[in-house]
Amino acid sequence: DTKDKGLDVSPQSTGGDIARAHAFVSGKVQGVFYRNNTVKQANGRSLSGWVRNLRDGRVELCAEGRRDQIEDLLEWCNR
């Protein structure tokens, strides 16, 4: 069930239509290929950055690219 995820985001403006987001996703996100799927989702939106599993069970991500694509990725993360 992905409805129990929490999303803690720190959006950062890099100027213009380019944005960066640093987010922590909690809930059922490890052991379900969430990190790999997040990478695929980010790549499909032409975003750069990284995603990693944390010891406390959360997933941390940092993504940079077009603001609308960042917002779209964050909406996907919150599903």
Side-chain angles (χ1 to χ4, degrees), residues 8-63:
D8 177 21
V9 180
S10 300
Q12 302 167 355
S13 177
T14 60
D17 285 337
I18 302 299
R20 180 183 306 121
H22 184 204
F24 295 87
V25 185
S26 59
K28 190 172 183 173
V29 293
Q30 289 195 13
V32 293
F33 298 100
Y34 187 84
R35 183 182 56 82
N36 289 337
N37 286 325
T38 303
V39 170
K40 288 179 186 177
Q41 292 292 324
N43 287 337
R45 291 168 175 82
S46 300
L47 299 174
S48 60
W50 48 265
V51 182
R52 66 180 173 184
N53 290 329
L54 300 176
R55 286 185 170 175
D56 65 5
R58 296 179 299 163
V59 169
E60 180 181 18
L61 69 94
C62 184

